[in-house]
Each structure stands twice: as structure tokens, then as C-alpha cells.
Amino acid sequence: MNYTFVKNFLGSKQLASEVAQRAQVSVPAYKQFLEKQGFKVPEPFEHLPKSDKESYVLAYPWEEVLADDYEECFSIFRSSGSSGQSFYWPQMKSTSRSSPTALKIFLEDAFAVHQKKTLAIVGSALGSWIGGDAMSWILKSMAVDAAYPFYVFSPGNNFDEIIEMICKMSPLVDQIIVFSVPSVIAYLHLKASQLKQSLPLDKLKHMVTGEPFPESLRASLQKRAEVEEDTPFMFSLYGSADTGTLGVESLATVALRKLLYRNNALASELGIESPIPHLFHFLATDDAFVETIDGYLCVTRWQGIPLVRYILYDRVALYSWKELKQAVLSSKLLDSGNEALLKILSEASEQLPDLLAVTGRADKCVILSGSNFTEYLLDAAVKCEELDEILTGLYRAQIIYEEDRQYLAFDLEIRQDISPDKAMIDQVYYSLMQSLAQFKPSFLNQWQNIYSGWDNDPTKRILRLNFIPWPGLSQAAKTSIKQRGIIS
């Protein structure tokens, strides 16, 4: 079916061509990269090969991948290394000067920080990682020039300090925005419970980055905080150390994602598969060109290390915001009970930026009986609403073999005071199996015809479940920037 809202690229092709031509002339590594693959310089943009971290930036000396104006750099940030190896990315003054103003505009629109006394807490790893260090710098730069009360606390992922500051400042502010990776939010709440500290859930808001998360996570947090559907609560930023910030959620895209998450028939009609992707407004239209190649996001952007047709191994689709909004609101499959979400969507401007629909990392997966389960599929299965009262959402997964038989083994962190009795183990097993079968119909067929014969014998089930008491996996958040579920 032809979905009119699907696009092949966002941004200016002319800009992309100019970036590519400049890189071919002035970046030694890029010239060598092209010559090694048999391309002549100059080469038209549409003929240029794709590149990635392994084939390009890691394959040449660091000084040879730098831009010809690299001396305009003001800071250097490190990638998290979650894809296998860290790298160092210089940041340019020209593209960074507007960052505090851009964030200020977003926070005023999303959380009304100009009308509410606000404490912003940077709860992501600091040091040299871009997600923590850059956010701390941007927020403090914004706070210095703010004409209203706006406070910044940057303890990094020191959860004791985060909890202490939340409790100290709660009487003095109207809201507290915690900037973190999404997988540590549950740990923060569990840690507060362990310390016998009551967090002011009515005041807590979240800005997250670094990891995808299933919509069930936001739904669970919002339900516990007793926050209404039309109240701004949790937004995600999308980008990478490689490319800088590329997109951000809005109240409208969050509402749309919730609608699609709750209505499988609507999502199916639109050709959007589960788990439902994040829907980010593309922010970098002035200086970046993005396209999709084999379902992956491909970025062209002039920066400290210029990128030309550079693949980020995130599964991404590109959508016209205006046309997707119209397709949803005109659907006959809209169900009752979501009036608040539909009102947000219908009142949102059609002039908002187009969308990056990001499902998650696609470069890491386990293959179970011929079915590929990527990390974002396993995330959605483990973090489903049905298991929220049992599991913290953190896990480790790997394929193992015993007596020539294949199993998918999970280490699953259970919540405080939960005991893994037979009923609980069965509930977790069948929930995971149903989720995996929903994502991969071929696996459903195998389960029904083969694996279900051993469902009554936990020692022979296709899923091997090992339950780890909290904080057995959560405590790694103190030393790890991002949480990765698949064990290599």
C-alpha cells in the first residue's frame, strides 16, 4: 500500500550536495575513503557511498577526519561506547551558540518554565559523555540569562544526591525536571523507596535521551504520578554524539504515539508496526540532510567531523507531519475513550516540523529459531504494562545452547519484595512469549506447533528465565551511560 505521509528524505538536497563537495575537497580521510572504493573526486551526491563509524571514522587517523575549520571547535565530547567503541566528536561554536536559546524555547513551550519555578536536574553521566556534559552546559547557560527562577543541579548519575536535592527543593519550586536516560527512572524510584524518601510525584517531569523506550514505560510512570493525558510529563530528545541533536517529541507526537500504542488496528492501517516508534520532530533542517537507506537513518551534516551519507544503525522512517496527522484524524478506526489525546492532536499546528519515526537500535539482535529479535523488540516485551508491577524493566538476554537445543536466556531484575513463585514465573513467561509472538508471526507459528509442547516443563521452555533481585542490574546505572539488554 502507498502511504502518502512516508518520505524518503528531510532537509535540503542542495545543502547535502554542498557538504559532500566540500568534504571531498578538504577532508583527507573522506577523499581516501572514496578513492579506496573506486570513486572519483568530485562525485555527485546521489552516487556517493554510505559510510558508518567502522568503515569511516574509526578507519582513519582522527586528525584526518576533521573539518577544514576544526579550529572553530570549542569542546570535545565522547560517545557512550554502547555500540562497541567510544569516539571523540569536536563541537563547533557556530552550531552550538543557539543551543541554550533553542532549549529555552522548548522548555517554555513544553513545561511553561517561564511561569513555574523550576529545578532542572542533570541525572545522566557527566564526564566527557555528550548526553550529560552538553546538557549541563546548555541548561546552565540558559539559567544564567533567564529572567525567571530556573535552577540547575548537575550530580550526574549519583542517585542519592538526586533524591536528596529533589526532597530539599520540592517546597521551593513548582516543578522538577529530571534529565536522564529512561532506563534509570525506575531505579530512581526504587532507590528513593529504599532510602524511605517520598518523591513528590506531582512535581516530577522527565526529559530523556540516549535510549528508546516502549510507550508502556511512559504510561506506567504517568499513571503512578496521576498525571492527566493532556499534561506535559515526559519528552524524549533524539540524536547522537556522532550527529548532534536531530529531533524532539512534542505534546502532539506523544499523544499520537499513545493513540497508536492503544489502537493496533489504527497502527496497522497506517503501516506502522509494533512496537510503536518514537515520533520526533526533525529539528536540524537548516544544516542537516537525512534520508533512509535500507530502513536505517542516513545523515549528511557539516560539523567538527563532517558526515556524508553516514549511517546510524537506528531503524527509522520519515513522515510528513501534516499528512500523518490528517491520515490519523480521518481514520474510521479511531475508538472512543481517547478524547483528550485526539483533542491535542487535532489542535496541533500542521506547520510543525516533519517526523523521524525511530524504533530503536537495529545493529544488535538475537536470532531465535530463525527470527531476528532486535534490542528494541526485547525492550518492548520486557517493559510491557502487564509486567510493570513485577519487573524493573532491566534485563540481559543471550542465546544459549544445551544438548544441541537453543534457548533464549533472560536475566530479569524483579522489584523489591517480589518473590519468584510458580505463578509469577508463569505470568512472566507467557507474557514474554505472547509479546515476542506478536512482534514476529513466524515465531508464533513455531511456538504453537513446537515450543508449546514444553510450556508445562520450566526446565525445557524455549525461554530460560533467571530472576535477579533489585538492585542487581540497576546498580550498573552508576557506572554505565546507557543500558544495553543484549549480551554479545
Side-chain angles (χ1 to χ4, degrees), residues 253-291:
T253 64
V254 171
L256 177 52
R257 192 182 192 220
K258 287 180 177 179
L259 283 170
L260 296 173
Y261 167 69
R262 296 175 184 177
N263 191 330
N264 290 331
L266 174 62
S268 179
E269 179 187 58
L270 298 169
I272 299 175
E273 298 179 350
S274 293
I276 303 302
H278 286 280
L279 300 169
F280 298 103
H281 293 293
F282 180 50
L283 298 178
T285 52
D286 292 340
D287 66 345
F289 176 81
V290 297
E291 51 189 324

Side-chain angles (χ1 to χ4, degrees), residues 94-219:
S94 57
T95 55
S96 300
R97 285 193 181 97
S98 62
S99 296
T101 300
L103 185 61
K104 176 175 178 286
I105 293 171
F106 173 80
L107 293 178
E108 289 180 352
D109 181 63
F111 293 116
V113 298
H114 57 307
Q115 298 171 342
K116 300 178 181 179
K117 292 181 181 180
T118 302
L119 168 65
I121 298 179
V122 180
S124 297
L126 295 176
S128 58
W129 181 52
I130 187 170
D133 189 38
M135 188 57 66
S136 179
W137 166 72
I138 293 170
L139 284 168
K140 289 170 183 173
S141 298
M142 170 188 158
V144 166
D145 293 328
Y148 44 79
F150 186 84
Y151 317 109
V152 181
F153 180 59
S154 296
N157 49 6
N158 185 319
F159 297 100
D160 288 8
E161 289 189 15
I162 293 173
I163 292 165
E164 183 178 6
M165 186 55 62
I166 287 174
C167 295
K168 284 182 180 297
M169 288 294 291
S170 180
L172 305 177
V173 296
D174 301 312
Q175 62 182 352
I176 300 168
I177 307 173
V178 180
F179 291 73
S180 68
V181 294
S183 58
V184 306
I185 297 175
Y187 179 77
L188 183 66
H189 287 269
L190 288 167
K191 185 68 174 178
S193 176
Q194 184 187 51
L195 296 173
K196 302 189 184 321
Q197 294 288 344
S198 179
L199 296 179
L201 299 183
D202 59 323
K203 292 187 177 183
L204 285 184
K205 314 294 182 184
H206 298 278
M207 284 294 304
V208 297
T209 190
E211 302 168 348
F213 61 88
E215 193 56 35
S216 57
L217 173 65
R218 181 158 36 205

Side-chain angles (χ1 to χ4, degrees), residues 212-407:
F213 61 88
E215 193 56 35
S216 57
L217 173 65
R218 181 158 36 205
S220 172
L221 291 170
Q222 201 156 354
K223 181 179 179 180
R224 291 186 181 195
E226 298 182 350
V227 173
E228 298 296 327
E229 295 273 32
D230 57 354
T231 302
F233 174 71
M234 178 179 179
F235 297 102
S236 181
L237 282 164
Y238 175 65
S240 68
D242 309 37
T243 64
T245 300
L246 295 174
V248 69
E249 291 181 316
S250 67
L251 193 61
T253 64
V254 171
L256 177 52
R257 192 182 192 220
K258 287 180 177 179
L259 283 170
L260 296 173
Y261 167 69
R262 296 175 184 177
N263 191 330
N264 290 331
L266 174 62
S268 179
E269 179 187 58
L270 298 169
I272 299 175
E273 298 179 350
S274 293
I276 303 302
H278 286 280
L279 300 169
F280 298 103
H281 293 293
F282 180 50
L283 298 178
T285 52
D286 292 340
D287 66 345
F289 176 81
V290 297
E291 51 189 324
T292 52
I293 296 179
D294 298 328
Y296 299 126
L297 185 66
C298 186
V299 180
T300 298
R301 193 175 201 177
W302 189 266
Q303 49 184 32
I305 293 177
L307 303 177
V308 180
R309 307 199 85 182
Y310 182 84
I311 296 286
L312 288 178
Y313 288 101
D314 288 335
R315 184 63 65 180
V316 176
L318 307 176
Y319 297 152
S320 161
W321 162 250
K322 178 180 178 180
E323 293 187 23
L324 178 58
K325 174 188 171 183
Q326 290 174 346
V328 171
L329 293 177
S330 63
S331 175
K332 296 179 180 179
L333 296 176
L334 294 176
D335 51 19
S336 59
N338 291 308
E339 290 82 3
L341 298 179
L342 289 169
K343 185 173 186 291
I344 293 170
L345 185 59
S346 62
E347 293 180 352
S349 170
E350 293 187 345
Q351 304 307 311
L352 290 172
D354 289 330
L355 301 178
L356 305 167
V358 182
T359 308
R361 296 290 297 190
D363 58 343
K364 208 168 188 181
C365 71
V366 294
I367 302 175
L368 181 63
S369 298
S371 296
N372 289 4
F373 290 100
T374 53
E375 203 162 63
Y376 61 80
L377 294 180
L378 299 185
D379 283 351
V382 173
K383 298 176 184 179
C384 69
E385 287 187 77
E386 181 183 348
L387 299 180
D388 182 63
E389 297 296 324
I390 300 172
L391 306 178
T392 67
L394 294 186
Y395 70 95
R396 297 289 182 268
Q398 63 180 321
I399 295 294
I400 62 172
Y401 290 85
E402 289 184 5
E403 298 179 353
D404 297 326
R405 190 176 174 195
Q406 183 190 58
Y407 299 91

